[in-house]
Amino acid sequence: MTFYHQLIAATEQERNTLMSLPLIQQGGAGNISLQTYIAFLTQAYHHVKHTTPLLMACGGRLSGQYEWLRTAIGEYIEEEMGHQEWVLNDIATCGADKEAVRNASNADSSPSQATELMVAYAYDMIYRVNPVGFFGMVLVLEGTSTAVATQAGEQLMSSLNLPKKAFSYLLSHGSLDISHVSFYESLMNQITDEKDQAIVIHAAKMFYKLYGDVFRDVAARTMS
């Protein structure tokens, strides 16, 4: 069994728990309010804006044996730069204040505790534990996007009666991340160090929980 398949098998329970969350289920069916969608986008902005800095930090911390992975990170960075602006533009198209979100001007536009903790754990993994563990986060975010983003975007476009440009983040990531997953799989299958494999699995399990908490928080504040 390749390491990628070991990783998928080892994190199946955590992945299923995330995917069964009411907000993800209802979002995929187009059954959430505009308020909830904006709240989701707000939290997405506050973690997506860290994607490029996290990739850069990860690349800078890798040892020489992972020069090939550092090169791949450069490709990821090219793909990911500026995506936080897509999120802000979606927020504006929904009729909300994107500059308030950019500047975290109030409680509704600020990162939630769950989002802060997920981002902090990502930086901590890179700087204190093992930079290779960051790829546990990549698995969770890209895998989730591939599974539900395009469907959710298309369903919500209809149910919320919003234009396509209000869903640039969801629609682009659903299709874009399909190619990313195959690229990711090829990278993970090149990691042969058992300690590094173990930390990727551990981190993925943690990120499934942490990312799930972001959705749980959005739901608690907008769907209760």
Side-chain angles (χ1 to χ4, degrees), residues 2 23 26 51 55 61 74 81 85 87 100-101 103 122 129 147 156 168 189 193 198 202 206:
T2 65
L23 178 53
Q26 293 173 32
T51 302
L55 285 164
R61 296 283 293 180
M81 287 186 72
E85 295 298 324
V87 183
V101 175
N103 298 314
V129 183
L156 290 169
S168 58
N189 286 340
D193 184 288
H202 170 76
M206 289 291 291

Side-chain angles (χ1 to χ4, degrees), residues 137-202:
M137 184 181 194
V138 176
L139 173 72
V140 172
L141 269 61
E142 292 200 345
T144 305
S145 293
T146 302
V148 299
T150 298
Q151 176 186 342
E154 291 173 347
Q155 294 292 328
L156 290 169
M157 198 185 311
S158 175
S159 65
L160 297 178
N161 195 27
L162 289 169
K164 189 173 183 179
K165 66 178 183 177
F167 300 93
S168 58
Y169 172 66
L170 281 180
L171 294 178
S172 65
H173 278 70
S175 55
L176 178 66
D177 287 344
I178 291 174
S179 61
H180 279 189
V181 168
S182 60
F183 182 50
Y184 176 88
E185 179 177 353
S186 69
L187 295 179
M188 292 303 97
N189 286 340
Q190 295 176 65
I191 296 176
T192 57
D193 184 288
E194 291 185 359
K195 289 183 179 178
D196 288 342
Q197 290 178 345
I199 201 66
V200 173
I201 291 172
H202 170 76

